Amino acid sequence: MTRTLSASNLVSQGQAIFTGETFLYIVKRSLQALLTLFLASILCFAIIQLSPGNFLDTLRQNPRITPERLEELKQLFGLSEKKDLITVTQQYFKWLFQALQGNLGLSMLYFQPVTLLIGQRIRATLELALASIVLTWAIAIPLGIIGAVNQNKFIDKFLRVLSYTAQGFPSFVTALSLLVVAQITSPLLPVGGRTSINHDQLSWFGQLLDILWHMILPTIALTITGFAGLQRITRGELLDVLRQDYIQTARAKGLSENRVIYVHALRNAINPLITLLGFEFASLLGGAFIAEFFFNWPGLGKLILSAVTAKDIYLVMGSLMIGAIMLIVGNLFADLLLKFVDPRIKLADLK
């Protein structure tokens, strides 16, 4: 009898999960994501095709490559001199049919499967992105709170100047400045690659420390350009909440200032910041171009840059699709986190 009740409880719990608001929302967003990816792939493919020339144009300038070899490559990659609507449409649907089977094509530049190249690089990019997000939030949120609590005081004015200065610095200037710091402090901070030469000989803990050691400069480069805007938004949102009537009521009841700020005010002010988290996760893929280039970080940024320069259609398409997936996953995670932080929010009301 007990086993029967336990089994029925498990079945009922399973049904509750699969009919719950969260599961239905994930299914809805997944279906929307498929349509979004389809439309994004059409747009990306069309933009690539609108650019003049193709991958073989550079090879034609090399006298060591024979016309016969060029014709072989043309047939291998399905390239055509004509870029009329019919030819481009056929090429797109051929790529789409392969992509639905998990095959994103063969890279023209590296002569390797696109899925393999992306799989080798995406881990390094995700490491950099996640480290930058954690460090950005760890710096921006406390500074935004300090600025809001001490509005118009010296510390608030100083932090505002700091955020304006950091936000005004171009990414490449920040990266170059950090390279100068690395040169001055050499060999304290590494500037090349993801690991050291003896990485494979280290223990698992030593390998972890080695990767974190190499992540210091590129993570700081991404964080400096990212924390300033988040700090200003945190300050503004918290100031708006602190002016609400229920905050004044909480203070009138004799609650401590720390409880009013960190329990009542911050809990409501942080909702818009969580919404930005999804966009921030995807935007780091674009921002990683500069950091990966200057610090020789083996991530997707450098891979996409080389693919665009060489007009490697399939590698560019695969990389852009990964960027679109990161945006979709980031927004979905932000919505679910928003629901977790504030149970009053209904997922059905989130668009």
Side-chain angles (χ1 to χ4, degrees):
M1 183 67 178
T2 304
R3 292 181 179 179
T4 305
L5 289 175
S6 300
S8 62
N9 289 336
L10 290 175
V11 172
S12 62
Q13 290 176 1
Q15 291 176 346
I17 294 174
F18 285 100
T19 58
E21 180 189 14
T22 302
F23 177 77
L24 293 177
Y25 181 74
I26 293 176
V27 171
K28 175 185 174 183
R29 289 294 296 270
S30 299
L31 295 175
Q32 292 176 347
L34 293 177
L35 178 61
T36 302
L37 290 175
F38 175 66
L39 296 176
S41 66
I42 294 177
L43 180 61
C44 294
F45 199 86
I47 293 175
I48 294 172
Q49 292 295 340
L50 286 174
S51 63
N54 56 35
F55 174 74
L56 298 181
D57 290 340
T58 304
L59 297 181
R60 289 191 180 95
Q61 301 174 11
N62 190 342
R64 293 179 297 178
I65 300 180
T66 63
E68 291 77 12
R69 179 56 178 168
L70 291 174
E71 186 62 28
E72 290 178 4
L73 295 176
K74 180 179 177 181
Q75 297 298 325
L76 175 64
F77 297 120
L79 299 176
S80 175
E81 300 297 334
K82 299 189 302 180
K83 289 190 176 183
D84 55 85
L85 182 60
I86 297 177
T87 304
V88 172
T89 303
Q90 291 176 345
Q91 189 175 6
Y92 167 75
F93 279 103
K94 180 180 179 181
W95 172 85
L96 180 62
F97 180 75
Q98 293 178 343
L100 292 175
Q101 301 178 27
N103 179 16
L104 295 177
L106 185 68
S107 170
M108 306 174 186
L109 185 61
Y110 298 96
F111 278 87
Q112 295 184 27
V114 172
T115 51
L116 178 62
L117 289 172
I118 293 177
Q120 293 173 345
R121 302 293 187 94
I122 193 172
R123 177 180 176 181
T125 295
L126 289 178
E127 289 173 350
L128 204 57
L130 293 176
S132 176
I133 288 177
V134 171
L135 187 59
T136 297
W137 279 61
I139 295 175
I141 301 299
L143 292 183
I145 295 173
I146 293 173
V149 173
N150 300 278
Q151 184 183 12
N152 295 328
K153 295 181 180 179
F154 172 78
I155 185 65
D156 179 36
K157 294 178 180 179
F158 173 77
L159 291 177
R160 277 189 286 173
V161 171
L162 179 64
S163 65
Y164 290 139
T165 304
Q167 200 166 21
F169 265 88
S171 301
F172 70 91
V173 174
T174 304
L176 285 174
S177 302
L178 290 175
L179 285 178
V180 173
V181 172
Q183 183 179 11
I184 295 175
T185 59
S186 179
L188 180 62
L189 297 173
V191 294
R194 178 173 169 267
T195 58
S196 301
I197 299 177
N198 62 335
H199 179 79
D200 294 334
Q201 302 173 4
L202 301 175
S203 63
W204 69 269
F205 186 70
Q207 291 179 349
L208 176 61
L209 293 179
D210 184 42
I211 294 175
L212 293 176
W213 183 45
H214 283 76
M215 286 176 60
I216 293 176
L217 289 180
T219 301
I220 293 176
L222 290 176
T223 301
I224 289 177
T225 57
F227 91 91
L230 186 61
Q231 174 192 333
R232 293 172 58 191
I233 295 174
T234 303
R235 177 184 179 274
E237 292 294 335
L238 189 56
L239 284 175
D240 288 339
V241 173
L242 288 174
R243 296 189 184 102
Q244 300 298 319
D245 293 338
Y246 71 91
I247 296 297
Q248 304 303 325
T249 303
R251 285 171 172 163
K253 289 181 178 180
L255 296 180
S256 64
E257 190 65 15
N258 286 338
R259 183 174 180 82
V260 170
I261 294 173
Y262 295 105
V263 176
H264 296 279
L266 184 60
R267 187 174 182 179
N268 291 280
I270 204 171
N271 287 354
L273 305 179
I274 294 176
T275 303
L276 294 174
L277 181 62
F279 296 99
E280 184 181 2
F281 180 68
S283 66
L284 283 174
L285 178 62
F289 276 103
I290 301 297
E292 292 181 6
F293 176 78
F294 279 95
F295 299 104
N296 196 27
W297 187 262
L300 284 177
K302 289 184 63 179
L303 188 69
I304 297 174
L305 183 61
S306 61
V308 171
T309 304
K311 297 181 180 179
D312 189 341
I313 300 176
Y314 304 120
L315 185 52
V316 171
M317 284 296 298
S319 301
L320 291 176
M321 289 299 98
I322 291 298
I325 292 174
M326 288 177 65
L327 178 61
I328 292 171
V329 172
N331 287 331
L332 177 59
F333 174 75
D335 289 345
L336 296 177
L337 184 60
L338 194 62
K339 170 67 175 178
F340 176 77
V341 172
D342 192 349
R344 298 172 300 175
I345 295 177
K346 300 294 183 182
L347 289 174
D349 296 333
L350 299 175
K351 303 298 183 182

